[in-house]
Amino acid sequence: MYNFALAFTICAIFYIAGEWVDKLTHAWVPSVFVTAILMLLGYWFVLPYNLITDSVLLPFGATLGLFLLLVHMGTVLSLKQLMMQWRTIVICLAGLVGMCTACWFLCPLFMDRTLMITGLPALTGGIVAATIMQQAAAKAGLVTAAVFAITIYCVQGFAGYPLTAVCLKTYGKQQLKLFRAGKITMSEADKHAVENANAAVGVSHAKTILPQLPAQFDTTVVKLGKLGFVAWLATLAGSATGISGAIWALVFGVIFCTIGFLDRDALNKANSYGICMFALMMFIFDGLKDCTQEMLLSIIGPMFILIIIGVVGMAIIAFIAARILHISFYLAFANGLTALYGFPPNIIITESTCDSLATSPEEKEFLMSRMFPSMLVGGFVTVTITSVVLAGTFASFL
C-alpha cells in the first residue's frame, strides 16, 4: 500500500498541521516548529526513514525549487521602497553586524565553532539560508551541524516574536501618547507611507526596458521558463566567479525583474510558489531523519547560546545606530529582529500590535504609518537579502 503518492500525502499532512497551528495562534507558534516536531517524533517512532525521498519531493526541492525561489525573492523587492527606508536598511545591517560579530568571537568559547558557522546564517534569515547551510554541512559530512541549522531555523521565532512585540508596543505607546496630546500629527506623507510600503510586495506599474508579452501568450510555463533561465544564468555565474550561485540568483532576480524580463512576484503569478516552498521545506525536514534523541539533547545548549549571544549583540549595535540616526531604539531593535522570522510574521505582529493599542481607526492608521513601512523593509533586508549573502559566504568556511 505504501508508495510515492502515500509518502507525498503524509508529508502534506505534517505540513498542513504546522500551517493550521500557525494560523490559529496568529504566528506565535511557527508552522515550521510544529511540522519539525511532528516529523521528528514521526521519524523516531513510526515514519519510514526514506519518507521524503519516497515522495519524490527531495530532488526538486534541493535543486530547481531552491533556485526558482531565490530568483523569485529578487522579484518581490522594490528598489524604490528600499531607498525610501534607507535608515531601516542601515539599522538592520548594523544589527546583523552586531549579531555576527558577537557570535563569531564569543560563541566558540562555549560551543563548537562548526555549529556556530552553520547556525549563524540560519539565525539571521529564513529557509533559504538554512537550506544553503544544511547542504554545505551535509556535503562536508557534518551531520550534527546540518541538523543544527534546521533546529535554529525552527526555533528562532520564539526569541524574535515576544521581543518584537514588546519593542513595538513600547514604541507604539510612546507615539500614541504624543499623538493624543497633539504634539505630533499625521501628515499626508504619513498617510501615503503605508500605501507606498505595499509596493514592496505589490504589483509594480513602473515602466520597464523590455516590452511585456500579451496576456494570452504569457502563460504559466512561460513564467516558469523565464525563472528557470535566470536560475541557469545564476548557476553559471556561480561556477565562473566562485561566489555562491544562490547570491547570483537573488541579484539576477532583482535585475531581470527591473528590466521587465521577469514578472514581479513571479512564482505566485505562475501559481507555483506553494509547491516550490513545500518541496524546499520537505528537503529541510529530510535532515531530521538523522537526528537521534541523543543528538538533539547535545545541540540544545549550543542552540540557546547562539540565539542569546546573537540577540544581545544585535541589541547593543542597534542601540548605538539608533542614537546616531535619531531613531527610537525600540523601533530599531524591532526592525533588526525581523531577521529571526521575516515575512509575513513581521507584518502580522505589526498589525496585531496596532490593533491592540489603537482605540480608533485614526489611531491605528497613525501607528501603522509609524511602524509598517520600516518593519516590512526590515524583513526584506534581513531575511531576503542579507541572510542569503551571509549563507553563501559562510558555506565556504565548512
Side-chain angles (χ1 to χ4, degrees), residues 9 201 339:
T9 303
V201 291

Side-chain angles (χ1 to χ4, degrees), residues 65-84:
L66 171 60
F67 270 79
L68 290 179
L69 279 166
L70 281 165
V71 176
H72 164 79
M73 287 165 64
T75 70
V76 301
L77 291 174
S78 168
L79 298 180
K80 178 181 177 181
Q81 181 63 22
L82 289 176
M83 288 187 288
M84 290 174 61

Side-chain angles (χ1 to χ4, degrees), residues 132-214:
I132 293 171
M133 296 314 300
Q134 184 200 21
Q135 285 181 318
K139 185 177 180 180
L142 304 170
V143 178
T144 302
V147 173
F148 189 69
I150 304 172
T151 57
I152 287 292
Y153 169 66
C154 292
V155 305
Q156 60 184 351
F158 285 107
Y161 296 151
L163 285 174
T164 301
V166 170
C167 287
L168 289 182
K169 284 187 177 181
T170 303
Y171 174 73
K173 288 178 181 178
Q174 293 174 345
Q175 294 296 299
L176 271 182
K177 184 178 180 180
L178 296 173
F179 181 72
R180 289 166 178 168
K183 295 182 179 181
I184 55 176
T185 58
M186 189 173 180
S187 65
E188 286 300 317
D190 291 330
K191 293 180 180 180
H192 290 304
V194 176
E195 298 175 6
N196 291 335
N198 287 319
V201 291
V203 177
S204 174
H205 298 288
K207 293 182 179 180
T208 56
I209 297 174
L210 299 178
Q212 300 300 298
L213 283 174

Side-chain angles (χ1 to χ4, degrees), residues 257-281:
C257 180
T258 301
I259 66 175
F261 180 75
L262 293 176
D263 292 326
R264 182 164 296 281
D265 198 20
L267 266 183
N268 276 314
K269 287 186 177 178
N271 299 312
S272 303
Y273 179 83
I275 187 61
C276 288
M277 181 59 74
F278 178 43
L280 183 57
M281 290 295 294

Side-chain angles (χ1 to χ4, degrees), residues 2-5 7-8 48-58:
Y2 176 76
N3 58 21
F4 69 92
F8 178 91
Y49 179 80
N50 291 320
L51 172 72
I52 297 176
T53 301
D54 295 338
S55 72
V56 204
L57 288 167
L58 197 56

